[in-house]
Amino acid sequence: MAPTILIIGATGNTGQAVVETLPKLLQSSNTLSDHRIIALTRSSKSPVAQKLAQLPGVEVIEQNWVEITSDWLREHQVTRAFIASHNEPNHFAEESTFHVAALNAGVKYVVRISTTAANVRPDCNAYYPRAHWAIEALLSSPEFSNLQWTSLQPNIFTPSYLAGAVELIKQYRKTGKQGTLKLMASKDAPVGVIDPYEVGVFAARLLSQENLAAHNKAKYVLNGPGDITGEQLVDLVEQYIGTKVEHVSYQDMSFLDMLYEHSYAPTRQSKNVIYSIKHAPETAWEGKCTASTTSKAVLELAPPKITPAEALKGLLEE
């Protein structure tokens, strides 16, 4: 069996880009050309999984990543791994379990997806950035010195940031009527939102590096190529609908009501914990999440190119 690069969340919004980008990078590598890629999925019959299975050197496997053990990693000869975890309240328990298994199995390098850099701190009011901070603290400890790692701290993903704009445009095209344009964005704060696919491309670049030491323990900040304000987003919407937007609700986090009722109330998750998500965009509203914060390594290896306008166009074509 060949040495393996494991992609967890292979059919997700970042993992798919990793799997699609990595084979060509490995083929041109002096030291990694013999490595295969295992793409984990919950359903190998999904259209995305079947598409990935056609790529050279890629094997799609149905496996729940939270059940991966050190024995499983050894059996599949995993030497490097990518993980895009969920952001559920049990995130820390499940991702840290994977990292402990990777350490004990002798995995050499892990690239993980974190969250908005300005939020990754122990006193963040939103719950899930604290979990990412704790994972990074765990990996930084002396006990994990044998496991090299890089944590990617991407800005807000464009599909989430543009969701309200997409919804209103589609509604207007269908009915000719406007509802309220609900935007997570504030009116004036510039934010360097990023397309998740470009985060995956950068992760693939890291996984194909021959010199891992240069990126060990790095926390890279990723933003799109430029900033956008809420007011500029309204302008984009008006270009699509051909008229003025009648009602705008900036800094709108009302989607949390539906999220909690449909996804978390049935499982009796803490409402206090889930609703803390409303604090996550505050650093963006304060102007702390601009494109100027992008890490140098990102600009050198895989500079993001997809603008918010291009991302909006793509979302409307789906």
Side-chain angles (χ1 to χ4, degrees), residues 296-307:
K296 182 180 178 182
V298 177
L299 300 176
E300 291 175 344
L301 289 178
K305 300 176 182 177
I306 301 174
T307 67

Side-chain angles (χ1 to χ4, degrees), residues 197-216:
Y197 197 90
E198 297 198 302
V199 177
V201 170
F202 178 65
R205 289 281 181 183
L206 290 174
L207 288 166
S208 66
Q209 294 296 299
E210 298 183 14
N211 178 17
L212 295 178
H215 304 285
N216 185 28

Side-chain angles (χ1 to χ4, degrees), residues 97-140:
T97 295
F98 171 79
H99 292 304
V100 170
L103 175 69
N104 292 333
V107 174
K108 294 182 175 64
Y109 182 53
V110 173
V111 177
R112 65 176 301 273
I113 300 294
S114 181
T115 190
T116 307
N119 288 344
V120 184
R121 60 181 200 271
D123 63 339
C124 184
N125 287 323
Y127 80 87
Y128 67 90
R130 297 196 301 269
H132 283 293
W133 172 84
I135 290 288
E136 292 176 354
L138 174 143
L139 292 171
S140 299

